[in-house]
């Protein structure tokens, strides 16, 4: 690791102003991506600004039509939250599958979304649930937030402060673990809104990161059942292919995970 | 037997320090004036070094020296050696290319050391290493066996045309061919034995200190065999003389073979400590471990088995290509030859065997012994063939094995080994009973009705351990003898130190070796201390690998104990005014049989050291040493059966049951044995399902971290059901055979046999990832 200056601001405004002052500053959340990259000397930020101790960024609150999870809330806290379990149990379940216990006690929802790893779990939930990402500057809808591999709508220095999730009629998540990293080799989140709209998002599969799966959405909208997906064809084009999963295998996983997510959603 | 004697599951003495963080590993050692080394490593798999510019690096803060491969050459530091000579079928020797500790002209694998920076701190060394400018001219790389043997393939070493190191054969080719000609049935199989990273928990490390006035070196290093390290470092590398070099291997956190070898980093640390006049420490990080620890296995094999009309095996023909990487590591040549092809008879009576092994260079890190070393590869070939044959011949796989089991001992195989004893039916019986083999068909049908694919797989392995009779291995090309030494020191107050040339790096010797002393003398193990891992304390030893510590190392201790007991009895008899023939040792006392006269061990010891009243002519003291050279290998064997279920939708496999019935001869500490089997099974299952090294076409290591290289975790493994069937080894007085490698040797074939049974497709490579299993079920979409 190269030398860097570590900051622990106590407010979002202080964090943003520290970022503006740094020549090449980085925000630190759970640190699961940034710290290993720094240890390998592949990143050398001038300043590391730790968002993890900012009180206004921690907590889970019910809202009128759902819940709001503040950005520095850990996966463990989401997984064990009664508020989340009651409102959107599939979301608590998803959080319980991330990494391992050590990861879940340090990793945060804001960090995961800002990083937008193509195999991270949370993007699937945010996209399928039609969540809203709130920052220190604005609100961004899920459909506008994810912009491809490790890329988001966030501007330089912009901080995610919270994510709002609307309650669904049905929601389910099914994940097939990457055997080594325990990211999603492919994970599929399915959701049906109270109005009957269906949104399906897959993570770990596409070369462009998290994606909606329109063919499955259409099939489920017509008939919310695992069997409705039987006849759906998923193309392997544009899907990732590596030593742990070829693109045709991932195409199969999208379908199978979607079916299991529907079964889990009930 | 006392409560802590042979056969007792005594809790491991050493664990208290390990689990409280009080172990003392190389990296925990800090010497006064110590500097830190960081290596500049090749980013290319194959390249010419055009220039190495160290001028900026040497000016960096804290830097005390920058040393290059050219300086290694200039100082006439010897090239790394290979300690086992293999002769090709045409009578020529191995075609061995030079391996300098740091590359002066050419790099041949990603991670090969080119230069080293020595600085006050590790970070300063790392900073300066980035300022070393190496100019490379990239050359085409050979990333695997297939690329290496292609006509016109890029050449790694001028000494090895076609990248072939040797083309070696064993067995009678003509007789084997004849057996195939007259066979009623022939079964053949193409097998890839996947390449593995050993991944010991503690990365390799070294600290070298040079005492200039004494011209004496001390090397602290992560070694499984510090005496072998001292011998090789002094005899071949022109760094230090043997009597001026102390090698200490303190607590070592796992080896699995990878810490047998002497690596460039230890050589460079020693050499550099004299160059810079300061102690030099190098601790590898996990990335360096992936890139530079010798990998394991990596074979491509075509194997065929001939059967007569009664389903008796009449012949076995095997052709194997073995990847030895870019250079020949210390025992690399022996692993795919004498440690592999000599076990191809398995547990079976096979009258004709012929094997050809062609070892090749590739632009990858050297490959050498890894837990099992050759024997897992052999067992996998034989047990996959047996299973395949049973399916092809439409007979029960257990029955086919029984029909061909060796039942008479000793048994001379056609491939050197003479099995001394065993009862293969007994272990197969035990395993079949444990897994309820008879009930499998019903369970499979029930699983099918629930939409699941279920399979069962048998693996009946045999291995050759306790390497080995020195004369025998010498005649096969080994550069060393493979005996073991021990010394038993009874202190004046009766406590005992046992010095052994074996080295414990997780095996629990500090407990199990004490149990022998407890057994012999009837004293608690707390009165006994095992001393190992320091060439200044232990005179000589060959170290720990090949499941040899109990069979060879412990037997040496027994021989020394017998001498100590004989002398102590003489002293006791003298003190008690009795005949030494009437003295028996019980509960730490020397008793005159049939009387109530006795003298306690501490009083005997005290008498030995005060020497006030010893038998006439007896030397004072109570300390004896012994060397033990075994007369044969030992042959642990067993039967593993695995029942698995496959999710056809995803290709995910899961264990229903895994049973292991092993014959290790006498068990010293059953709990430690159980731990060894569990660890071995985890690595065998890891090879079958999870682990696999991948280099890309340019020779870059794709699986260079735990994010891509899948290590087995607790939730990947079932709860194993272990049992033992015992035939005592006749080759050593304790009757022990060895247990360290069995799990890794037998497990992988059982797993693959089970999965292929479940999915009805025998074509499945290791690691059997969900992707591969799914494709094996559904074909390529």
């Amino acid at each position: 690791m190269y030398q860097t200056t570590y900051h622990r601001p106590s407010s979002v405004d202080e964090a943003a102003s520290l970022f503006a002052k740094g020549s090449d500053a980085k925000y630190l959340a759970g640190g699961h991506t940034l710290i290993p990259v720094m240890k390998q000397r592949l990143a050398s930020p001038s300043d590391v600004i730790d968002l993890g101790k900012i009180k206004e960024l921690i907590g889970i609150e019910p809202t009128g039509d759902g819940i709001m999870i503040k950005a520095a809330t850990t996966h463990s806290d989401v997984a064990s939250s009664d508020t989340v379990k009651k409102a959107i149990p599939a979301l608590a379940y998803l959080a319980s599958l991330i990494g391992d216990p050590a990861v879940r006690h340090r990793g945060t929802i804001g960090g995961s979304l800002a990083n937008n790893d193509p195999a991270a779990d949370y993007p699937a939930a945010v996209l399928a649930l039609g969540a809203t990402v709130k920052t220190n500057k604005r609100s961004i809808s899920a459909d506008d937030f994810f912009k491809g591999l490790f890329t988001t709508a966030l501007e330089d220095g912009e901080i995610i402060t919270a994510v709002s999730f609307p309650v669904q009629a049905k929601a389910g998540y099914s994940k097939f673990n990457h055997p080594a990293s325990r990211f999603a080799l492919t994970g599929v989140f399915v959701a049906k809104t109270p109005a009957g709209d269906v949104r399906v998002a897959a993570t770990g599969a596409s070369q462009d990161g998290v994606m909606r799966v329109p063919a499955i959405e259409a099939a489920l909208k017509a008939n919310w059942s695992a069997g409705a997906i039987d006849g759906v064809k998923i193309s392997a084009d544009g899907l990732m292919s590596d030593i742990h999963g070829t693109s045709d295998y991932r195409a199969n996983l999208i379908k199978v995970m979607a079916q299991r997510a529907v079964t889990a959603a009930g | 037997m006392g409560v802590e004697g042979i056969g007792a599951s005594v809790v491991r003495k050493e664990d208290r320090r390990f689990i409280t963080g009080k172990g003392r590993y190389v990296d925990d050692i800090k010497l006064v004036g110590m500097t830190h080394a960081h290596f500049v490593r090749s980013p290319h798999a194959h390249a010419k070094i055009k220039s190495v510019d160290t001028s900026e690096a040497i000016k960096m803060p804290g830097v005390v020296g920058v040393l290059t491969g050219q300086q290694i050459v200039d100082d006439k530091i010897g090239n790394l050696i290979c300690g086992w000579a293999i002769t090709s079928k045409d009578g020529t020797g191995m075609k061995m290319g030079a391996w300098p500790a740091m590359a002066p002209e050419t790099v041949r694998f990603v991670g090969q050391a080119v230069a080293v920076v020595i600085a006050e701190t590790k970070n300063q060394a790392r900073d300066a290493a980035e300022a070393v400018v190496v100019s490379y001219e990239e050359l085409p790389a050979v990333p695997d066996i297939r690329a290496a043997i292609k006509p016109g393939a890029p050449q790694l070493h001028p000494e090895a045309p076609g990248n072939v190191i040797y083309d070696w054969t064993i067995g009678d080719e003509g007789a084997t061919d004849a057996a195939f000609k007259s066979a009623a049935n022939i079964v053949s199989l193409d097998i890839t034995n996947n390449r593995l990273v050993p991944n010991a928990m503690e990365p390799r490390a070294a600290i070298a200190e040079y005492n200039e006035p004494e011209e004496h070196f001390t090397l602290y290093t992560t070694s499984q065999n510090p005496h072998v390290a001292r011998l090789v470092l002094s005899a071949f590398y022109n760094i230090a003389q043997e009597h001026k070099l102390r090698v200490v291997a303190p607590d070592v956190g796992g080896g699995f073979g990878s810490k047998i070898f002497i690596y460039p980093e230890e050589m460079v640390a020693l050499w550099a400590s004299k160059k810079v006049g300061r102690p030099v420490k190098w601790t590898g990080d996990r990335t360096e471990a992936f890139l530079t620890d010798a990998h394991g296995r990596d074979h491509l094999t075509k194997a065929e088995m001939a059967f007569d009309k009664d389903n008796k095996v009449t012949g076995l023909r095997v052709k194997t290509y073995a990847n030895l990487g870019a250079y020949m590591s210390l025992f690399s040549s022996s692993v795919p030859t004498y440690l592999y092809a000599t076990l191809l008879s398995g547990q079976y009576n096979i009258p004709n065997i012929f094997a050809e092994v062609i070892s090749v260079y590739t632009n990858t890190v050297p490959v050498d012994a890894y837990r099992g070393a050759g024997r897992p590869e052999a067992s996998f070939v034989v047990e996959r063939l047996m299973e395949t044959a049973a399916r092809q011949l439409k007979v029960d796989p257990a029955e086919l094995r029984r029909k061909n089991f060796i039942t008479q001992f000793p048994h001379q195989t056609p491939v050197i080994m003479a099995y001394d004893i065993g009862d293969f039916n007994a272990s197969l019986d035990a395993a079949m009973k444990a897994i309820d083999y008879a009930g499998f068909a019903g369970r499979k049908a029930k699983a099918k009705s629930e939409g699941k694919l279920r399979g069962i797989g048998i693996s009946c392995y045999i291995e050759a351990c306790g390497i080995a009779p020195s004369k025998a291995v010498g005649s096969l090309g080994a550069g060393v003898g493979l005996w073991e030494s021990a010394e038993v020191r009874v202190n004046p107050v009766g406590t005992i130190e046992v010095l052994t040339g074996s080295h414990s790096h997780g095996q629990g010797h500090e407990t199990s070796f004490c149990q022998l002393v407890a057994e012999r003398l009837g004293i608690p193990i707390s009165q006994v201390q095992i001393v190992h891992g320091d060439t200044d304390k232990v005179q000589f030893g060959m170290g720990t690998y090949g499941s040899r510590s109990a069979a060879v190392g412990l037997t040496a201790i027994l021989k020394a104990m017998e001498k100590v007991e004989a002398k102590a009895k003489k002293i006791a008899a003298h003190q008690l005014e009795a005949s030494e023939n009437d003295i028996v040792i019980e509960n730490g006392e020397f008793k005159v049989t049939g009387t109530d006269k006795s003298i306690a061990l501490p009083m005997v010891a005290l008498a030995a050291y005060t020497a006030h009243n010893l038998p006439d002519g007896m030397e004072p003291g109570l300390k004896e040493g012994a060397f033990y050279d075994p007369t044969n290998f030992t042959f642990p064997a067993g039967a593993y059966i695995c029942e698995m279920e496959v999710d056809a939708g995803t290709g995910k496999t899961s264990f229903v049951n895994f049973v292991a019935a092993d014959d290790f001869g006498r068990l010293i500490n059953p709990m430690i044995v159980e731990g060894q089997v569990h660890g071995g099974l985890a690595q065998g299952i890891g090879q079958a399902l999870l682990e696999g090294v991948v280099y890309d076409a340019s020779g870059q290591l794709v699986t260079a971290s735990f994010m891509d290289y899948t290590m087995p975790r607790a939730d990947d493994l079932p709860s194993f059901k272990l049992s033992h069937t015992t035939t005592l080894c006749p080759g050593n007085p304790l009757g022990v055979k060895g247990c360290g490698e069995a799990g890794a040797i037998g497990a992988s074939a059982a797993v693959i046999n089970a999965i292929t049974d479940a999915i009805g497709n025998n074509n499945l490579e290791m690691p059997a990832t969900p992707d591969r299993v799914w494709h094996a079920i559904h074909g390529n979409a």
Side-chain angles (χ1 to χ4, degrees), chain B residues 642-667:
Chain B
C642 162
E643 187 170 330
M644 300 195 78
E645 210 159 72
V646 180
D647 176 348
T650 62
K652 187 169 172 53
T653 56
S654 51
F655 287 95
V656 179
N657 212 340
F658 193 112
V659 302
D662 294 294
D663 179 356
F664 298 138
R666 191 184 310 283
L667 309 183

Side-chain angles (χ1 to χ4, degrees), chain B residues 121-171:
Chain B
T121 71
K122 180 73 179 170
N123 254 337
Q124 287 173 332
R126 220 173 158 174
D127 287 344
E130 288 177 7
V132 174
V133 181
V134 186
S135 172
Y136 295 99
E137 178 192 333
E138 276 192 73
L139 299 170
V142 173
D144 56 33
I145 291 169
R146 287 188 179 90
I149 60 176
K150 237 183 216 160
Q155 299 288 295
L156 268 76
H157 296 277
E159 296 86 352
N163 298 317
V164 171
I165 300 167
Y166 54 74
D167 182 343
W168 171 90
T169 61
I170 189 171

